[in-house]
Amino acid sequence: MTIARRAALALLTTTALLAGCVAYAPAPGTSKFDQTFDAALNAASDSGVTVASADRASGRIVGSKAGAAVTITLEQQADGRVRVAFNAPDSKQTNPTLTEQLFAAYQRRMGR
């Protein structure tokens, strides 16, 4: 294999690997609370939760998956951070639990 072909193959491989990387950048001017709310809402969708209501003002997302109620609450902290809680107490899903699945999807959406 010639040097030019090796270089082209290396460039193609690098491009293919980078194409698989996803970063969710926040929209310019979006508040930390809005970014977090959007990430939580999209995490619910990613996890297969059917969202019945999403109230940004109260910081509450309500839905269900496989008959189990799901509640996601967001609370602005005094120091500017946003506290997020995932609750699906009646879910029968295991390995991972629905709460773990929601948290992992949220972390991905937040770019962590």
Side-chain angles (χ1 to χ4, degrees):
M1 191 180 284
T2 68
I3 293 176
R5 283 190 179 188
R6 283 185 184 169
L9 181 59
L11 179 62
L12 181 63
T13 302
T14 302
T15 303
L17 289 173
L18 290 177
C21 297
V22 178
Y24 299 98
T30 305
S31 74
K32 181 70 172 170
F33 184 87
D34 287 339
Q35 293 171 21
T36 305
F37 188 89
D38 291 342
L41 184 59
N42 287 316
S45 177
D46 293 348
S47 300
V49 172
T50 301
V51 175
S53 69
D55 185 0
R56 191 177 301 269
S58 69
R60 188 172 171 90
I61 301 167
V62 177
S64 64
K65 180 177 180 184
V70 175
T71 304
I72 304 170
T73 54
L74 293 88
E75 184 178 333
Q76 184 79 47
Q77 303 294 300
D79 64 1
R81 293 183 295 166
V82 180
R83 182 174 178 262
V84 182
F86 301 96
N87 192 12
D90 298 328
S91 175
K92 304 293 185 229
Q93 181 176 320
T94 60
N95 199 22
T97 66
L98 180 52
T99 302
E100 292 168 341
Q101 183 180 12
L102 285 163
F103 180 72
Y106 166 75
Q107 291 288 73
R108 280 192 305 275
R109 289 287 182 165
M110 290 298 287
R112 298 178 187 156

